[in-house]
Amino acid sequence: MRLAAALVALSLVSGCATQSAALRAAPPDGLAAPVELTATPFVPQTRFHCGPAALATVLGAAGIAADATRLGDEIFLPARSGTLQLEMLAGARRAGAVATRIPPTMESALRELHAGHPGLVLQNLGLSFAPTWHYAVLVGADLDRGEVVLRSGTVERELMSMQTFERTWQRAGGWGIVVLPPGRWPATAERAAVIEAAIGFERVASGERAAAVYRSAIERFGADVTLGVGLGNTLHAAGDLRGAEAAFGDAARRFGSVPAWINLARTRLALGNVAGARAAADSARALGDAAWSEPLAALERDLAQTNDSSPRR
């Protein structure tokens, strides 16, 4: 039974590296030429600190100064002798960057390189049942040679076969991120990943900076209820009540969103527009979503206590 299990595990490891072979056999448009982002800085790791070193590398590539030692103090978990992916995302955002997951495919990784974006990836350099976790930064690829170039550990330019890289990356779940300044997004970013990145950035950024990220996401992907409400929340937090009113109103009308209507009512109330606030509350109530009954009831209590003659701002 142990032998059979080992053979199954080996077949899984061997079978996952199919994307590289397909890409080499028929390179997609724009990906045939070799690429190497030589301007990507090199931050060698100290013991166990491959995560902070890799994060400092991609932050530097994004034009954001970062110190690996300070990052280590912030994101390294001594009890685990390493850094979790959530800590990597949080560390990038605290540094002022937007960290976005990319699709777990070799084509996506290559397209990011050709767009000038190094990819921070998690690898499992061990086996699926005996993992050895490691963060590295993908900075180059050559389909003809079947190689990738990594900033990895204490090696500035580590050459690795593309299939080996794919195996070790996929054994770690294909986790990879691109780190960019606010307002820019990875070439292959998908809507769900962009929403996740914008919300994560909002948690640590000022209202104005977070609003800029939400706006850029809407420009990239079009109207979206989560992005619209997020934009309204950040504008409200920044004191731009008129901007928040417009954002909430757009999300409410486009998507019939109860929280957008409630937030629109709250914003209008803050602006002194009691009649407009009541109209928004009526629209929220008409949708009949029981999940929002308590916030709606609290809003209606506040409206009942508000004088219709309150001055408008």
Side-chain angles (χ1 to χ4, degrees):
M1 292 296 293
R2 282 194 293 271
L3 176 60
L7 288 174
V8 170
L10 181 59
S11 68
L12 289 174
V13 169
S14 300
C16 72
T18 58
Q19 299 172 35
S20 297
L23 289 171
R24 296 189 66 197
D29 289 344
L31 299 186
V35 59
E36 184 171 352
L37 306 180
T38 57
T40 304
F42 173 55
V43 182
Q45 76 166 77
T46 55
R47 190 166 185 257
F48 298 135
H49 276 209
C50 63
L55 183 54
T57 297
V58 292
L59 284 169
I64 298 171
D67 178 79
T69 301
R70 181 183 59 77
L71 285 172
D73 293 338
E74 293 178 358
I75 67 176
F76 178 74
L77 302 176
R80 292 180 176 266
S81 297
T83 305
L84 299 178
Q85 294 100 307
L86 286 176
E87 297 300 324
M88 297 287 281
L89 292 168
R93 291 161 182 165
R94 284 193 298 266
V98 179
T100 310
R101 284 286 307 270
I102 60 171
T105 67
M106 285 298 299
E107 182 172 347
S108 292
L110 294 182
R111 290 205 180 280
E112 294 303 331
L113 288 176
H114 282 272
H117 305 154
L120 195 164
V121 297
L122 178 64
Q123 297 174 277
N124 177 3
L125 300 178
L127 299 171
S128 58
F129 53 87
T132 300
W133 308 111
H134 178 67
Y135 290 105
V137 179
L138 180 66
V139 299
D142 187 326
L143 286 175
D144 284 341
R145 296 175 64 88
E147 289 181 339
V148 298
V149 185
L150 302 165
R151 301 276 189 268
S152 180
T154 58
V155 181
E156 180 174 2
R157 192 174 181 275
E158 179 175 339
L159 297 178
M160 181 178 288
S161 82
M162 196 169 286
Q163 287 196 345
T164 299
F165 170 75
E166 184 182 350
R167 281 197 293 267
T168 59
W169 185 33
Q170 295 303 318
R171 276 205 300 261
W175 188 87
I177 61 174
V178 164
V179 173
L180 293 170
R184 293 172 54 193
W185 297 101
T188 63
E190 297 175 340
R191 181 184 295 268
V194 165
I195 291 172
E196 177 187 45
I199 292 172
F201 186 75
E202 178 191 352
R203 294 189 181 120
V204 300
S206 68
E208 291 180 358
R209 285 170 63 81
V213 167
Y214 277 114
R215 282 197 177 100
S216 67
I218 293 170
E219 289 174 3
R220 171 79 176 266
F221 288 100
D224 178 278
V225 62
T226 302
L227 294 175
V229 171
L231 175 60
N233 287 338
T234 56
L235 290 171
H236 197 287
D240 182 1
L241 297 184
R242 291 295 182 191
E245 180 184 25
F248 289 137
D250 182 68
R253 286 184 288 271
R254 281 179 184 268
F255 302 103
S257 166
V258 174
W261 281 118
I262 291 173
N263 287 358
L264 176 61
R266 289 283 183 193
T267 304
R268 286 176 172 172
L269 194 56
L271 287 165
N273 182 0
V274 179
R278 285 182 172 149
D282 290 343
S283 295
R285 189 187 312 108
L287 292 171
D289 189 341
W292 295 93
S293 58
E294 290 187 14
L296 185 55
L299 169 63
E300 291 175 336
R301 286 194 296 271
D302 290 344
L303 285 168
Q305 297 171 6
T306 302
N307 187 343
D308 276 344
S309 63
S310 299
R312 295 193 180 201
R313 280 189 262 167

